[in-house]
Amino acid sequence: MGRGVVPRRGRAGDRQVVAVSSEAPPADGDEARGEGPVGDASTDPVDRPERDARPPALAVVLSLVAAGVASLAALLAAPLGGVLLGGATVALAAGSLRRSHRLLSWAAGIGVVGLAVAGYRGGGVEALLVGGVALALAWDVADHGLSVGEQVGRGARTRRNVAVHAGATLLAGALSVGVVYGVYRAAAGSRPVAALALLLFGAVVLASALR
């Protein structure tokens, strides 16, 4: 409304004019609502985007390629084994997309069953060993990709880390298979049962080395 005047008499009878403001002072909560310095937009915290925890794309691609190689090797050894390895490949892809370590473990278990079925049906040792290494590589790279995504996010520069990890796993698997296959060939002539036992022992050693 503006200012009003209220007459008031002083001690000497003089007429005094006192200015009265009709404007109320700002409430205490005005500054908190952004009308004062406290609510200035320049001091508000900036919303940061949520980190993308998905596994790196390279880890997913390498895992699926390795799983495809394992499926092809098992298919050449025995068709039923190849079908089971194909199911393991699908499970690996689902585990990477859903970011589930448990689903990846189930995929690896299905793959091992597929290799065992291929071996039981008389599949070649060479194809089984290749399928075993490829399956272990597929699972290991997928599992590593999930860990990397959880720790640093998909947007970080992780190609070198994933590539080095996959190369080290592949090298360890190739060396282990070379030793196992050499021992198998040396003992297969006269002691097939002993050769099979050595092959199974080598598979256990291979799994421990890759892990």
Side-chain angles (χ1 to χ4, degrees):
M1 291 175 54
R3 295 179 178 272
V5 292
V6 179
R8 189 179 63 179
R9 293 184 177 273
R11 288 175 297 179
D14 297 334
R15 191 181 183 88
Q16 296 180 349
V17 178
V18 179
V20 179
S21 174
S22 62
E23 295 178 358
D28 295 338
D30 291 343
E31 293 185 355
R33 290 195 298 267
E35 299 179 4
V38 177
D40 191 359
S42 61
T43 60
D44 290 341
V46 179
D47 295 334
R48 296 183 178 179
E50 186 178 355
R51 184 177 63 186
D52 189 356
R54 292 180 298 172
L58 180 60
V60 177
V61 171
L62 291 178
S63 174
L64 294 180
V65 170
V69 173
S71 301
L72 179 60
L75 184 64
L76 294 177
L80 182 57
V83 171
L84 291 175
L85 262 295
T89 301
V90 175
L92 282 173
S96 297
L97 293 177
R98 296 175 61 88
R99 304 198 298 270
S100 172
H101 292 275
R102 178 178 298 182
L103 192 54
L104 293 182
S105 298
W106 277 102
I110 295 173
V112 170
V113 172
L115 291 175
V117 170
Y120 178 77
R121 289 180 170 270
V125 176
E126 294 83 358
L128 293 177
L129 288 177
V130 171
V133 172
L135 175 64
L137 177 63
W139 170 79
D140 184 68
V141 172
D143 187 76
H144 180 69
L146 289 188
S147 300
V148 170
E150 293 170 355
Q151 293 175 7
V152 299
R154 193 175 196 179
R157 297 180 178 179
T158 57
R159 283 191 173 185
R160 183 175 181 180
N161 178 278
V162 172
V164 170
H165 183 87
T169 302
L170 181 60
L171 179 61
L175 292 176
S176 301
V177 164
V179 173
V180 171
Y181 185 69
V183 174
Y184 172 81
R185 294 296 297 178
S190 57
R191 299 177 182 177
V193 177
L196 180 59
L198 288 173
L199 182 61
L200 294 176
F201 175 75
V204 174
V205 173
L206 173 61
S208 300
L210 292 177
R211 184 56 180 166

